[in-house]
Amino acid sequence: ISAAALTATLAGEANSAVVPSALLALTMRVAGPAAAAALTPVVLGLAKGAIAMSWMKVTLATVMTLTAGVGIGVVLAGPRQILGTPVEINNTLHVPYEPAAKNTTNLPAVLLVEPINKPLEDSLWPNAAEQLPNQATTPEPDRTMKGIVIGPDDKPLAGAKLFVPKLSKTETISNEQAMTELVGTAGSDGRFQLTVSPPGKGARFYVIAHAAGFGVDWVDLSEVKPSDEVTFRLLKDVPITGRVVSTEGKPVAGVTVSAASIYVPKNEKLDDYLSGWMRDLRVNLASPQKRLYMALNGVTGAVTTDTAGEFTLHGAGAERIVRVTFHGGGVARSTPYVITRPGFDPKPFNDVLLKKEHDNLRVNNRFLGLYPPSLTFVAEAGKTVEGVVKDAANGKPLPGCSVFVNTGFGDGITVISDLNGRYRIDGLPKRTAGYSVGVAPTKGSTYLQRRSGTADTDGYSPVKLDIELVKGVVVTGRVVDRQTGKGVHAGVRFAPLPDNHFFASKPGFDNYRSDRTMAGTDKDGHFRLVTIPGQALVTAQVHDGEKFYGDFVSPYRLAVPDPDHKDLFKYDTDDDDWSITTAGGLEFLRVEHAVKVIDVKDNEETAVNLFADRGMTALLAVQDAEGNPLTGAWVAGLAAYGPITFKLPDATATVFALNPEKPRTLTVYHPEKRLGGTVTIRGDEKEPVVARLGPLGKVIGRMVEADGSQLASAQVSISPRSISGRALYQMASPAGTPVLTDKDGRFTLSGVVPGIAFSLQTRRGQDQFRGNPRIGWRQLKSGESLDLGDQPMEPIR
């Protein structure tokens, strides 16, 4: 998500809790190194043991980061809101969005991960991604590519068209306005050869293939070697058809309907995606690995509803997940998911979304659920927020600023202030809890970005909000690979420390309380950003990496405390994590590669360099109990920074970013042979370190309540203690889905990887239970069976 989008999303009430950096952990698996420059960890410390934390800790397996050049949406719960009465139309769930009073409970927010359409606009959020030093940089060269376009039957598709994105400068920024350029046509044998130019900053380097009657295919050239021959395989198309009606059931004409993003299910198996939705909705949303963050309007043409409210979208392709955007025509911008499978019934999946545990996703973040390819969409009327952006010191209007408001799960609207500093954002969902608006100044300025909130107005009358920006100070520097001496692409962020007397001394100097967005470096590690003066922690999160069996892996160690200020940092042995107290709460080093404490100068530029350390590498060999090499095992812990979990096609693998003074324990599981185990690795071994696997263990028992009655129909699951254990269970699911206790409270939980410390999580409906006396941490040997007997349980209050 853009930093503007994130800032606006984070703009809940001042007393709303936000998410610590330990939670930013799901998306590198999905988006790789490109997904890293605009978002930083959001860290106002959550109390340990909070219910939200149990899910957050699971996600430590793979580290979430975001980039200014890719769309990954991080949606954080703001004011608590409620739903209207669900309505079913054409077998599709429609949940009226009825925001309620602001949240005063100070509950932890929940992190949700969702790709969005990154606007192809150079100035969308310049403060976060574009404030680089005035230095010569080498532009990316043109790329020559060749390949073939084939159809669903694997036969060549003559005449298929090839497109690339083209930047479009508009006052209102959205991906639906992205332009494309036709750069080639496949010959009679389906083959093509063409030369394409990079589209510019902020745009993916896509080449998209399309032919009438088929679903598109695409490739991101930044992920393809110049020597590779590309095959585009177009799918059978499943048109998305339907109508848009108002909340009164009347057709709405003039609504723009776009296939805003397309996601290909992991391994192209839609059934796996749908079953994952039922098993773990939050994790499942991030599972597709191939994504097109660009609307098809420029390829297949723009679509608007007719006088009957009807529309037809072509080109998304069958068996895919499509984010369809409805906007314009006086309606609130909305982005439901459409499953392009004829006859798809969304009801059981949306029933999962209705569970209370997903309130933050559905209500606070306005996630609208799944729809079939033939649908009726009930559109809310849109609200308007308008005002003037101006200098806080002299009231002078500030033109060219990016102004953003979040409209739902991973989506929003950005406009640019005009010559008089005025802005107007139409098509917002009505929010009785109020509106939050994020503003970024023009590229190269010394103004600080800002967010501001305002109350709702009666009905649908416009909301007025003027926003004042203040000036900060400039910090420049570079993020460097310690071993190679070369600069690396990274995200940089500043956190004022408690003794910083500048913090909150004027409006805008307290942005850190709610805005933890990063500034992206250039590809050589250089950065320039605007912050406040005074003592601060500066952090760097490196986004460069290496290919590892076709996936991204980070070769860098995680950060350790600044040796000149080690007394400011605290170490948590349970979570194996360093933290530091800042002016706005705790910062955790779990997702950072370099940190330094500096004094930012007032009224002059400050320079700082940060160094990322690769550590050491070692070789892992996976074997069965007899010492035979095993291919196809899942291994968690191959890197220090997400993703850390991979399924190995070979029996050996490189382990990255090791520190002999702090050995790392890897967790291994072979799904076909049902073998598992752990192994500790230092990094200074001369020979491969062998992980010898054995049969999985199991836990059996009977759960009873305090009065001795059976605890029936309770869900029991494994909760590993270590980061690698949690990562393995999240990605590979050795224990499968949680088991249910039978009518007598008995259960058998297979799939316990030997050698890991674990506890049991027990819940029934919305109630969670723990042992009384506590079950505690347990660990099984290979093939061992643990019988807990009759285990008394008590609800967690």
Side-chain angles (χ1 to χ4, degrees):
I1 198 168
S2 67
L6 179 63
T7 298
T9 303
L10 295 181
E13 300 300 320
N15 66 347
S16 294
V18 289
V19 183
S21 59
L23 310 187
L24 297 177
L26 193 52
T27 314
M28 284 300 285
R29 190 67 163 160
V30 177
L39 176 68
T40 177
V42 181
V43 279
L44 286 181
L46 279 180
K48 290 182 181 178
I51 293 175
M53 199 65 171
S54 64
W55 173 75
M56 295 165 182
K57 288 186 176 181
V58 171
T59 65
L60 287 174
T62 48
V63 179
M64 158 171 287
T65 49
L66 299 181
T67 177
V70 71
I72 297 285
V74 178
V75 184
L76 300 179
R80 181 170 294 275
Q81 295 153 343
I82 60 173
L83 288 176
T85 304
V87 178
E88 194 171 308
I89 300 177
N90 289 355
N91 207 31
T92 300
L93 183 72
H94 168 65
V95 184
Y97 183 60
E98 296 290 343
K102 72 178 184 180
N103 174 27
T104 57
T105 60
N106 227 6
L107 291 174
V110 174
L111 175 72
L112 304 171
V113 184
E114 164 57 6
I116 69 160
N117 304 306
K118 173 64 175 68
L120 303 181
E121 168 56 51
D122 191 85
S123 63
L124 173 67
W125 192 253
N127 212 49
E130 304 298 343
Q131 291 195 9
L132 302 178
N134 295 322
Q135 57 185 328
T137 57
T138 304
E140 286 193 55
D142 291 350
R143 285 281 299 270
T144 298
M145 65 176 297
K146 59 182 179 179
I148 187 171
V149 183
I150 60 176
D153 56 1
D154 294 334
K155 294 181 179 179
L157 271 178
K161 306 294 184 182
L162 297 157
F163 299 85
V164 296
K166 184 178 180 182
L167 289 176
S168 172
K169 304 285 186 178
T170 60
E171 289 187 3
T172 300
I173 310 304
S174 72
N175 244 26
E176 292 77 20
Q177 296 166 323
M179 300 170 62
T180 58
E181 179 181 359
L182 178 64
V183 291
T185 304
S188 59
D189 58 354
R191 294 201 160 271
F192 65 88
Q193 181 167 329
L194 48 86
T195 299
V196 293
S197 301
K201 291 179 179 178
R204 281 287 187 105
F205 199 174
Y206 288 124
V207 176
I208 304 168
H210 173 253
F214 296 93
V216 298
D217 194 12
W218 65 92
V219 66
D220 187 334
L221 285 187
S222 65
E223 300 174 357
V224 176
K225 295 179 181 178
S227 58
D228 290 347
E229 184 166 310
V230 177
T231 297
F232 292 104
R233 189 174 187 273
L234 305 191
L235 303 180
K236 177 183 177 181
D237 195 22
V238 173
I240 300 172
T241 62
R243 60 197 298 258
V244 178
V245 299
S246 67
T247 53
E248 291 79 28
K250 298 179 179 180
V252 183
V255 177
T256 299
V257 188
S258 304
S261 299
I262 302 174
Y263 312 147
V264 177
K266 188 175 181 180
N267 300 321
E268 300 189 20
K269 295 180 179 179
L270 183 59
D271 285 334
D272 288 354
Y273 176 84
L274 295 174
S275 61
W277 181 288
M278 306 297 285
R279 182 175 61 251
D280 193 331
L281 172 57
R282 298 173 190 272
V283 172
N284 186 69
L285 286 173
S287 64
Q289 294 180 332
K290 181 176 179 180
R291 301 170 178 240
L292 180 65
Y293 298 111
M294 177 180 168
L296 293 184
N297 293 15
V299 175
T300 58
V303 173
T304 57
T305 57
D306 60 18
T307 54
E310 296 179 348
F311 65 90
T312 299
L313 287 176
H314 292 285
E319 297 289 287
R320 287 174 170 172
I321 306 112
V322 183
R323 290 181 72 251
V324 175
T325 300
F326 297 90
H327 65 104
V331 306
R333 182 179 174 95
S334 302
T335 51
Y337 280 33
V338 171
I339 302 298
T340 55
R341 170 181 285 180
F344 170 70
D345 179 9
K347 188 176 186 304
F349 305 95
N350 289 330
D351 285 346
V352 172
L353 187 61
L354 283 173
K355 292 182 178 180
K356 185 175 180 59
E357 64 198 80
H358 298 309
D359 278 358
N360 276 324
L361 175 60
R362 183 187 67 248
V363 184
N364 296 337
N365 296 303
R366 197 170 174 258
F367 181 57
L368 302 179
L370 300 184
Y371 282 73
S374 179
L375 65 126
T376 295
F377 185 76
V378 181
E380 307 171 45
K383 286 276 290 191
T384 295
V385 174
E386 59 186 358
V388 178
V389 182
K390 50 191 175 182
D391 186 305
N394 55 30
K396 178 182 176 181
L398 298 177
C401 296
S402 300
V403 187
F404 179 90
V405 176
N406 181 50
T407 57
F409 186 47
D411 196 45
I413 302 173
T414 300
V415 300
I416 306 299
S417 60
D418 66 15
L419 292 177
N420 296 310
R422 293 175 300 194
Y423 72 91
R424 178 186 173 97
I425 302 180
D426 297 310
L428 298 175
K430 182 174 175 61
R431 299 185 185 277
T432 57
Y435 301 83
S436 179
V437 181
V439 180
T442 56
K443 180 179 179 179
S445 80
T446 57
Y447 287 98
L448 288 165
Q449 59 195 39
R450 182 90 184 273
R451 71 171 180 86
S452 186
T454 183
D456 194 15
T457 55
D458 292 337
Y460 286 87
S461 58
V463 176
K464 305 289 185 179
L465 178 63
D466 292 346
I467 302 174
E468 296 181 335
L469 301 186
V470 297
K471 290 188 175 183
V473 292
V474 174
V475 178
T476 60
R478 195 180 189 204
V479 183
V480 179
D481 183 312
R482 187 181 298 278
Q483 279 70 31
T484 67
K486 297 180 180 179
V488 292
H489 180 221
V492 179
R493 188 169 54 90
F494 283 78
L497 296 183
D499 292 337
N500 187 329
H501 66 274
F502 290 96
F503 179 68
S505 62
K506 64 175 73 172
F509 272 36
D510 60 350
N511 285 349
Y512 173 74
R513 285 197 174 108
S514 57
D515 180 8
R516 312 294 169 85
T517 50
M518 281 183 173
T521 71
D522 66 11
K523 61 185 179 63
D524 296 317
H526 295 283
F527 64 88
R528 174 188 183 273
L529 57 84
V530 179
T531 185
I532 69 171
Q535 192 178 49
L537 176 76
V538 56
T539 70
Q541 190 179 98
V542 179
H543 309 315
D544 286 344
E546 300 177 8
K547 285 292 183 180
F548 187 74
Y549 296 116
D551 209 336
F552 165 84
V553 67
S554 172
Y556 294 99
R557 288 171 49 183
L558 293 174
V560 295
D562 183 340
D564 295 330
H565 299 273
K566 200 165 183 177
D567 58 311
L568 298 178
F569 297 82
K570 291 185 178 181
Y571 181 67
D572 186 324
T573 54
D574 288 338
D575 284 342
D576 186 21
D577 198 5
W578 287 98
S579 64
I580 182 173
T581 300
T582 70
L586 286 177
E587 287 277 358
F588 297 87
L589 307 191
R590 174 105 287 273
V591 295
E592 310 294 349
H593 295 111
V595 298
K596 191 175 181 62
V597 176
I598 67 169
D599 284 310
V600 180
K601 300 173 184 176
D602 191 14
N603 298 320
E604 62 177 297
E605 187 174 297
T606 303
V608 58
N609 288 331
L610 297 166
F611 294 90
D613 193 336
R614 288 177 174 261
M616 303 181 74
T617 60
L619 188 65
L620 172 72
V622 182
Q623 300 177 359
D624 63 16
E626 287 72 41
N628 300 310
L630 274 179
T631 61
W634 282 92
V635 182
L638 290 177
Y641 172 87
I644 66 171
T645 311
F646 299 85
K647 188 173 184 179
L648 306 181
D650 300 325
T652 60
T654 301
V655 186
F656 297 88
L658 290 165
N659 178 6
E661 297 179 1
K662 189 178 180 181
R664 185 187 306 159
T665 297
L666 311 185
T667 311
V668 190
Y669 165 61
H670 197 284
E672 286 75 27
K673 294 185 178 294
R674 298 291 289 169
L675 302 175
T678 63
V679 64
T680 300
I681 191 165
R682 294 169 47 86
D684 56 0
E685 294 89 351
K686 303 300 182 184
E687 300 294 332
V689 176
V690 176
R692 187 159 291 181
L693 309 186
L696 304 182
K698 66 180 179 180
V699 181
I700 61 176
R702 177 174 178 263
M703 292 187 171
V704 297
E705 299 194 61
D707 60 1
S709 62
Q710 68 275 8
L711 183 62
S713 300
Q715 191 180 79
V716 186
S717 59
I718 291 288
S719 179
R721 186 173 191 174
S722 68
I723 291 172
S724 66
R726 294 194 294 266
L728 186 78
Y729 273 76
Q730 178 187 349
M731 299 299 298
S733 301
T737 58
V739 301
L740 292 177
T741 57
D742 65 15
K743 61 183 179 61
D744 297 319
R746 300 186 185 280
F747 70 95
T748 299
L749 187 58
S750 303
V752 180
V753 174
I756 69 162
F758 68 92
S759 63
L760 296 183
Q761 284 193 342
T762 306
R763 64 183 301 168
R764 184 170 60 187
Q766 300 304 313
D767 297 323
Q768 297 195 36
F769 294 82
R770 65 186 174 200
N772 182 18
R774 304 290 177 86
I775 298 174
W777 297 106
R778 300 300 181 99
Q779 184 171 311
L780 302 185
K781 297 178 182 178
S782 178
E784 182 181 0
S785 178
L786 171 64
D787 188 349
L788 295 176
D790 285 359
Q791 175 63 53
M793 304 295 290
E794 64 179 5
I796 299 175
R797 301 302 181 188

